[in-house]
Amino acid sequence: MIKENRTSKYLLYAIGEIILVVIGILIALSINNWNQQKNNDAKITSILKEIQNDIVTDLKASNRIFDYHVRTDSISKAFLNNKYTAEDIKKSGFYRIGYNYRDFKIVTNGFDNLKGNIDNVPEKYADLLPEIKDLYVTLKTNIDVANDKIRSTVYKNIDDESNFDWYQDELKGIKNDAQIDYYLNDKNYKNLVGNYMSYRINIFALSNQYRVKTIDLYLKIQEVIGSTDDIPDSVSYTYKDTTFSKNYVGTYKLKETINTDIWDETVNITLKDGQLEFEPSESNFQINLLYYDKNTFFIDSYNAFFVFDRPKKTSFISLVVSTFLRFTRK
């Protein structure tokens, strides 16, 4: 009887020891899993912040695309509308269209790191993944194709230029009469300009689409990770101070275009809830104008840009809309 009691006590003691060991193991595993999850959260958060930094860099590149397009758009319009003279071409600083390009290179450091850690992404970040994939896979593919196209077009234009008799003079910085006549009067050069600008416009539209998507993604990451870091001024397509916007409200009359059949004679610029809107007078639609700078706006996923300029010697405001189009306020 005494032996049985001792055996029972030993058995209960052993079971208790086993239970304590199991509990200890479970606690250790739980702590390890918690630490691993915490490390994963910290790592993915760091990667998402890296994506935000990449976005800021990409927005600077997008600005260069925007500014270059506005510049080349103006020059190409002057060429195609026969606004240039021989004296203009002879001046220093004359810029030829079709022989230079700006491609839109996207930084993917953060995205590449995220791909390498995709199995460790916490569930709370899962909603970000479709937008990140759309940006760095789908849209980037289209941008890369557009970059390749304009790059190959410019290289071909440069190669073809060597066939002209005046090419050697061009290399020496001399513009002879034959070259000037080519720029001013040869339909092949006007076709070259039109062809080049069609590819230039494509990159411009894609960079604007990328701009909007990256800004939206940046702000969403900021919210999801609970960041209190300051948001750079460049990460916005809205304007905080709308006081100046009121100056642009009004009805504008078509002044200059080569596409007379597709544009209304007048358009309206309205301000609704702090948002400028473009409204063709004979059409039943409105287009939100997204902020680029105080005088310049653009449209998501479209090649148009809007520049409100007030000529120094006059009191009216003119509205330049993308290529070959100018309105003046009535």
Side-chain angles (χ1 to χ4, degrees), residues 68 72 95-101 150 153-158 189 192-193 196-197:
Y68 185 71
T72 54
Y95 190 86
R96 301 181 305 158
I97 294 294
Y99 299 97
N100 294 277
Y101 69 92
I150 197 166
T153 297
V154 168
Y155 288 164
K156 182 180 184 302
N157 292 344
I158 293 173
Y189 182 67
L192 181 152
V193 171
Y196 170 84
M197 287 307 299

Side-chain angles (χ1 to χ4, degrees), residues 54-55 57-59 61-62 103-109 111-112 135-137 139-144 147 206-207 210 214:
D54 291 345
I55 286 173
T57 300
D58 290 339
L59 288 174
S62 180
D103 53 11
F104 185 33
K105 295 181 179 179
I106 295 172
V107 180
T108 62
N109 295 333
F111 176 66
D112 293 338
L135 193 66
Y136 289 103
V137 177
L139 187 52
K140 182 179 181 299
T141 298
N142 293 335
I143 290 171
D144 289 342
N147 284 334
L206 288 169
S207 71
Y210 186 86
T214 52

Side-chain angles (χ1 to χ4, degrees), residues 306-324:
F306 297 73
V307 179
F308 294 91
D309 60 63
R310 185 188 296 272
K312 294 181 179 179
K313 296 182 179 180
T314 62
S315 60
F316 66 84
I317 295 177
S318 62
L319 169 61
V320 180
V321 184
S322 193
T323 309
F324 319 128

Side-chain angles (χ1 to χ4, degrees), residues 66-309:
F66 200 109
D67 294 341
Y68 185 71
H69 179 73
V70 171
R71 180 189 181 193
T72 54
D73 180 84
S74 176
I75 297 173
S76 66
K77 181 174 67 174
F79 266 116
L80 295 176
N81 287 337
N82 300 314
K83 300 295 186 182
Y84 270 99
T85 66
E87 292 303 316
D88 292 328
I89 295 176
K90 291 177 182 179
K91 293 178 181 178
S92 61
F94 168 72
Y95 190 86
R96 301 181 305 158
I97 294 294
Y99 299 97
N100 294 277
Y101 69 92
R102 300 287 188 277
D103 53 11
F104 185 33
K105 295 181 179 179
I106 295 172
V107 180
T108 62
N109 295 333
F111 176 66
D112 293 338
N113 285 333
L114 184 64
K115 286 192 297 182
N117 292 272
I118 197 66
D119 294 333
N120 299 323
V121 176
E123 183 64 26
K124 63 182 179 180
Y125 296 148
D127 288 344
L128 294 171
L129 298 182
E131 294 181 34
I132 292 174
K133 181 180 178 182
D134 177 58
L135 193 66
Y136 289 103
V137 177
T138 305
L139 187 52
K140 182 179 181 299
T141 298
N142 293 335
I143 290 171
D144 289 342
V145 170
N147 284 334
D148 290 341
K149 186 62 179 178
I150 197 166
R151 188 183 303 116
S152 62
T153 297
V154 168
Y155 288 164
K156 182 180 184 302
N157 292 344
I158 293 173
D159 289 340
D160 291 345
E161 190 179 36
S162 64
N163 295 322
F164 290 99
D165 294 335
W166 45 259
Y167 179 65
Q168 289 297 320
D169 285 342
E170 168 62 24
L171 293 179
K172 300 173 184 177
I174 301 172
K175 292 182 175 63
N176 62 38
D177 292 340
Q179 183 185 17
I180 293 173
D181 182 70
Y182 171 71
Y183 292 143
L184 293 179
N185 303 312
D186 197 311
K187 68 176 183 180
N188 291 318
Y189 182 67
K190 294 186 185 300
N191 290 340
L192 181 152
V193 171
N195 187 50
Y196 170 84
M197 287 307 299
S198 68
Y199 299 132
R200 177 84 264 144
I201 288 169
N202 192 29
I203 289 182
F204 176 74
L206 288 169
S207 71
N208 285 343
Q209 184 180 355
Y210 186 86
R211 174 190 297 273
V212 173
K213 286 180 178 290
T214 52
I215 289 174
D216 289 344
L217 178 61
Y218 185 105
L219 297 177
K220 189 171 184 178
I221 290 174
Q222 189 85 348
E223 179 181 358
V224 170
I225 67 177
S227 175
T228 58
D229 295 341
D230 292 336
I231 298 175
D233 291 339
S234 61
V235 185
S236 177
Y237 51 78
T238 59
Y239 29 102
K240 298 177 182 178
D241 181 9
T242 59
T243 303
F244 68 89
S245 302
K246 297 177 182 179
N247 296 326
Y248 302 145
V249 173
T251 299
Y252 292 76
K253 184 177 181 180
L254 183 63
K255 179 181 179 182
E256 179 184 0
T257 183
I258 63 172
N259 302 316
T260 55
D261 295 332
I262 66 173
W263 287 99
D264 294 346
E265 284 295 321
T266 59
V267 298
N268 298 312
I269 298 296
T270 60
L271 185 65
K272 296 181 180 178
D273 299 324
Q275 174 74 59
L276 282 176
E277 293 185 345
F278 176 81
E279 300 180 353
S281 58
E282 298 179 10
S283 305
N284 295 319
F285 67 90
Q286 298 82 35
I287 301 174
N288 287 338
L289 303 186
L290 305 181
Y291 176 83
Y292 178 70
D293 63 31
K294 191 172 182 179
N295 299 319
T296 310
F297 300 80
F298 68 99
I299 302 174
D300 180 21
S301 304
Y302 191 64
N303 60 25
F305 63 89
F306 297 73
V307 179
F308 294 91
D309 60 63

